Amino acid sequence: MNKINLPNGDRIILLQTLVRIVESGSLSAAAQQLGTSQPTISRRLRALEQLLGTRLIQRTTHALHLTDDGERCYQQARGLLAQWQSLEDALRGARDEPVGALRVRAPHAFGQDQLIGPLGEYLRRYPQTSVEWTLNDHSPDFISEGVDCAIHVGAVTDPSVVAVLLAEVPRSTVASPALLTERPAIVDLDDLASLPWLAVNSFYRNEVVLTHATSGEQRRFGIAPRLSTDSLYAARKAALEGLGVAIVSSWVVKEELAQGSLQTLLPLWRAEPLPIYLLYPYASYYPARLRKFMEMMKETMPRIIGAQPPTGR
């Protein structure tokens, strides 16, 4: 290959393109994340290979594979780009003034309801930023999906990410009065276990665990859900329809409990609150827009409706 000369700014773009191709897994995904076309990504890759005088990626019909030179280039490029971003932010005065687009993943229900207030505060406080707010109840693959951070409700099982505990979400065991009509009064856990159940399968499927608020005693029993869903809103609606008992985040049924269309069962027996985490990948450098978002989430999350400060776990 014949080497070509490019301005340094163009070289940075070529390195960014290589890193995004590798981490997203395809040229089309890289194009989408970089806001350009697949032919442009292909041209940039060819230009980088010509510049370095070596093949970086072997392309087949179904997959991309880094060559040995490509692997070395990719590893070096990641470090160089982090250093460049740090330098650029410092010289432009952006180290403490967030600029640019932040990509955040948040849970469906919590993300479209309770978190819009803190998100709006972030955007008002930092007018040079924008946010791509994607709702999904599963933790992202940060690198391949191009996500900067995620709000996650529930246990964290991925040891490869940083997990910062922000707050907790209290939960309530609820049912409609219609479900309880013509049934014996619910006075103990055996009565509760005998009722038809709904499962919010992100958090419980075939077993319920409750803890007594006063004694700390913990009890568990099996359930065979009549309906299983990953949506808090669907579980609330099914409970309102009298289809079964559900354990849901307390904020999502606050109005229904106040109106009497749902009621809390055995209020001293409670499901453990769900932890709310801020997740992000390990990196040697985090831009100001991400650092300030992290700071705001730590500050505001325990105060929003539907959450409480961590109780220590």
Side-chain angles (χ1 to χ4, degrees), residues 24-41:
S24 67
S26 71
L27 273 65
S28 58
Q32 183 177 17
Q33 292 180 12
L34 291 173
T36 188
S37 66
Q38 184 171 332
T40 297
I41 296 297

Side-chain angles (χ1 to χ4, degrees), residues 39-279:
T40 297
I41 296 297
S42 296
R43 284 195 297 270
R44 290 178 185 174
L45 176 58
R46 287 197 301 272
L48 182 60
E49 290 178 331
Q50 288 177 328
L51 178 67
L52 297 175
T54 185
R55 179 73 66 188
L56 301 175
I57 292 178
Q58 297 289 353
R59 282 171 280 181
T60 66
T61 305
H62 303 291
L64 301 176
H65 301 283
L66 281 172
T67 64
D68 289 343
D69 286 339
E71 179 64 35
R72 284 193 293 271
C73 183
Y74 164 68
Q75 296 297 339
Q76 291 286 333
R78 289 188 65 192
L80 288 170
L81 290 172
Q83 293 176 31
W84 176 261
Q85 184 66 63
S86 178
L87 174 63
E88 189 176 40
D89 283 356
L91 294 179
R92 289 183 175 180
R95 178 169 289 279
D96 294 313
E97 181 58 32
V99 296
L102 183 69
R103 297 179 178 88
V104 184
R105 175 77 64 82
H108 267 110
F110 214 55
Q112 66 182 291
D113 198 314
Q114 304 300 85
L115 294 180
I116 296 300
L119 177 60
E121 184 177 344
Y122 173 83
L123 290 171
R124 285 189 292 270
R125 188 179 297 183
Y126 305 114
Q128 296 184 69
T129 63
S130 62
V131 175
E132 184 178 308
W133 190 250
T134 302
L135 301 181
N136 192 307
D137 292 316
H138 303 288
S139 297
D141 184 329
F142 290 96
I143 303 302
S144 66
E145 297 178 37
V147 175
D148 294 305
C149 66
I151 307 297
H152 177 82
V153 177
V156 177
T157 58
D158 184 356
S160 69
V161 300
V162 181
V164 179
L165 181 61
L166 300 175
E168 294 178 339
V169 179
R171 293 191 287 172
S172 299
T173 305
V174 301
S176 71
L179 178 72
L180 306 176
T181 301
E182 299 179 357
R183 292 178 182 272
I186 307 301
V187 296
D188 57 34
L189 288 182
D190 289 337
D191 298 326
L192 186 62
S194 68
L195 293 173
W197 273 82
L198 310 169
V200 182
N201 55 36
S202 304
F203 308 115
Y204 68 97
R205 295 172 180 269
N206 305 114
E207 184 180 68
V208 168
V209 181
L210 300 174
T211 302
H212 196 275
T214 303
S215 68
E217 178 188 359
Q218 189 176 85
R219 296 274 298 276
R220 63 184 65 224
F221 54 86
I223 60 172
R226 298 198 64 201
L227 173 68
S228 181
T229 177
D230 63 355
S231 167
L232 278 176
Y233 292 139
R236 177 183 63 185
K237 182 65 174 178
L240 285 167
E241 292 289 332
L243 298 180
V245 181
I247 297 175
V248 295
S249 300
S250 298
W251 66 265
V252 84
V253 291
K254 182 179 180 181
E255 292 184 7
E256 288 76 12
L257 291 173
Q259 296 166 357
S261 53
L262 289 175
Q263 63 186 68
T264 303
L265 304 183
L266 299 182
L268 288 179
W269 285 98
R270 300 172 184 172
E272 288 292 318
L274 296 171
I276 308 172
Y277 289 98
L278 178 68
L279 307 181

